[in-house]
Amino acid sequence: MKALILVGGFGTRLRPLTLSVPKPLVEFANKPMILHQIEALKAIGVNEVVLAINYQPEVMLNFLKDFETKLGIKITCSQETEPLGTAGPLALARDKLIDNSGEPFFVLNSDVISEYPLKEMIEFHKAHGAEASIMVTKVDEPSKYGVVVMEESTGKVEKFVEKPKIFVGNKINAGIYLMNPSVLDRIELKPTSIEKEIFPKIAAEKKLYAMVLPGFWMDIGQPRDYIAGLRLYLDSLRKKSSSKLATGHHIVGNVIVDETAKIGEGCLIGPDVAIGPGCIVEPGVRLSRCTVMRGARIKKHACISSSIIGWHSTVGQWARVENMTILGEDVHVCDEIYSNGGVVLPHKEIKSSILKPEIVM
């Protein structure tokens, strides 16, 4: 079985992290985003993953070569020379996706994090026997999204309503699809939207079905959602395999700590924190709702909340970092500095406080 992951472009919404690595390689809960998906696909029998990409394919492939052997899965790239939207890449990768088995293939958006109930999706797809299946998720504010209007009992999709002004439903496209090879005959090799052009046509022919995603879902393509997604992910980990979570008198709530990280005395860590490999957290540090990436150092009595600390960065003693502060790679925040929502580009030293959210070039 095969799968295509829509990797796309520059990851501008997650800058400054994506100035150092392509977005799918940014760690989420101590694992590159895309690896969460590849592992889930491998677990249900996918043996080849195609990455649809228009930016730095060599960086991606070099990185993923290790995982090909570890996971025993073939990973290839299909490179766009111009952005092709969300459907065009399927036409471009057509020869990689079609074999003579006639089996359906998965398509995933690379920013989506969930429990990936892919096995259930295959069963759902076989049961309705139509051309394509999409995963949908319930949201509180459907007016911000494209809403999927469907028959509750069968899941048959009736139509799509983009950012509805009046309530038509609360289920939105979750960015996980399973489709028969025949769908590829509907897509031309040009910039095309799968959500706005291809799916509505299939729905009009009554050949599109939607399955409601059990468990959590989040598009983690921007910092606020990345932090919110970490909370949901760790919560789900608590229910499924809590042995992966850190324990101890200094831990509050759900926290994941790499085994190579070092944590000093008298720290208070959590809830909803991820600490990456080789990190050093000195004594008396307070961390909550944040990610500290590989090789970072948090000095004595610093306090960090609702922020992302990039690779090999340093936060000084008694510094306070909060309110969606994002430090790029190798940023050094001096002692006793306050950052209120600073977005700091890589290789900077911060010597004076950032009092309101701003980008520090």
Side-chain angles (χ1 to χ4, degrees):
M1 206 175 178
K2 298 186 176 185
L4 178 109
I5 300 178
L6 294 164
V7 173
F10 301 112
T12 45
R13 297 179 305 160
L14 259 191
R15 281 183 184 159
L17 301 171
T18 48
L19 295 171
S20 299
V21 298
K23 182 171 60 178
L25 300 185
V26 172
E27 290 93 356
F28 174 81
N30 292 351
K31 190 190 294 180
M33 285 185 193
I34 201 160
L35 214 54
H36 289 274
Q37 298 185 328
I38 293 174
E39 287 179 356
L41 289 163
K42 169 67 185 170
I44 51 109
V46 168
N47 47 20
E48 185 173 346
V49 175
V50 181
L51 307 177
I53 189 166
N54 60 23
Y55 171 64
Q56 290 185 324
E58 43 302 316
V59 182
M60 288 284 291
L61 276 180
N62 290 342
F63 177 86
L64 291 166
K65 274 287 165 269
D66 303 347
F67 291 103
E68 264 196 322
T69 20
K70 261 185 217 162
L71 297 171
I73 191 168
K74 186 178 173 192
I75 301 171
T76 58
C77 269
S78 170
Q79 191 186 0
E80 305 161 39
T81 46
E82 57 163 342
L84 290 171
T86 48
L90 276 73
L92 186 65
R94 183 189 174 103
D95 296 345
K96 292 178 188 279
L97 291 171
I98 285 197
D99 48 22
N100 298 325
S101 69
E103 271 195 315
F105 57 87
F106 281 101
V107 176
L108 283 80
N109 285 347
S110 69
D111 293 354
V112 165
I113 198 91
S114 76
E115 285 170 13
Y116 307 116
L118 305 178
K119 187 164 165 282
E120 294 82 342
M121 195 175 191
I122 295 173
E123 287 160 10
F124 173 78
H125 186 74
K126 283 183 180 153
H128 67 65
E131 200 169 4
S133 301
I134 67 173
M135 204 79 93
V136 293
T137 184
K138 292 178 182 171
V139 289
D140 295 336
E141 280 187 64
S143 61
K144 293 196 302 197
Y145 304 92
V147 171
V148 181
V149 181
M150 57 191 263
E151 209 174 72
E152 289 298 322
S153 54
T154 61
K156 187 192 288 174
V157 175
E158 290 165 11
K159 60 179 179 179
F160 295 82
V161 184
E162 197 54 43
K163 298 188 175 153
K165 295 278 181 284
I166 55 166
F167 185 84
V168 290
N170 65 346
K171 296 180 191 69
I172 65 163
N173 178 346
I176 301 171
Y177 320 129
L178 182 58
M179 44 185 85
N180 293 348
S182 59
V183 173
L184 294 171
D185 299 334
R186 298 173 177 269
I187 304 171
E188 291 175 53
L189 184 51
K190 61 177 194 190
T192 316
S193 161
I194 200 163
E195 301 85 356
K196 293 179 181 158
E197 296 171 67
I198 307 301
F199 286 156
K201 284 179 188 160
I202 305 176
E205 294 175 26
K206 303 189 174 10
K207 291 180 181 172
L208 182 67
Y209 282 74
M211 172 182 156
V212 179
L213 179 78
F216 78 98
W217 176 88
M218 187 56 84
D219 175 330
I220 55 173
Q222 50 193 346
R224 195 169 294 281
D225 297 335
Y226 176 105
I227 299 275
L230 183 63
R231 177 178 64 78
L232 298 172
Y233 174 83
L234 293 175
D235 207 34
S236 153
L237 204 59
R238 160 81 59 203
K239 296 185 185 104
K240 283 185 153 169
S241 50
S242 59
S243 60
K244 291 182 180 168
L245 294 172
T247 51
H249 61 273
H250 60 300
I251 301 288
V252 184
N254 299 331
V255 173
I256 190 165
V257 179
D258 186 89
E259 55 194 18
T260 60
K262 293 186 168 58
I263 295 178
E265 288 295 306
C267 291
L268 190 57
I269 294 174
D272 310 321
V273 172
I275 299 175
C279 290
I280 295 174
V281 179
E282 294 185 3
V285 165
R286 174 75 179 103
L287 304 176
S288 63
R289 296 181 304 285
C290 65
T291 288
V292 181
M293 291 184 172
R294 186 183 61 250
R297 185 181 200 111
I298 314 298
K299 294 189 174 174
K300 291 175 189 168
H301 308 293
C303 178
I304 300 173
S305 68
S306 302
S307 297
I308 302 173
I309 309 301
W311 310 273
H312 306 289
S313 289
T314 310
V315 175
Q317 298 185 29
W318 296 101
R320 187 178 183 96
V321 172
E322 61 187 24
N323 191 22
M324 294 298 145
T325 291
I326 316 292
L327 305 184
E329 181 182 17
D330 180 42
V331 167
H332 301 284
V333 174
C334 294
D335 293 351
E336 299 178 26
I337 291 294
Y338 172 57
S339 170
N340 172 18
V343 173
V344 185
L345 273 65
H347 316 298
K348 295 270 171 272
E349 188 176 17
I350 302 297
K351 293 177 177 168
S352 55
S353 289
I354 300 167
L355 300 177
K356 60 180 197 305
E358 60 174 309
I359 296 171
V360 178
M361 311 287 275

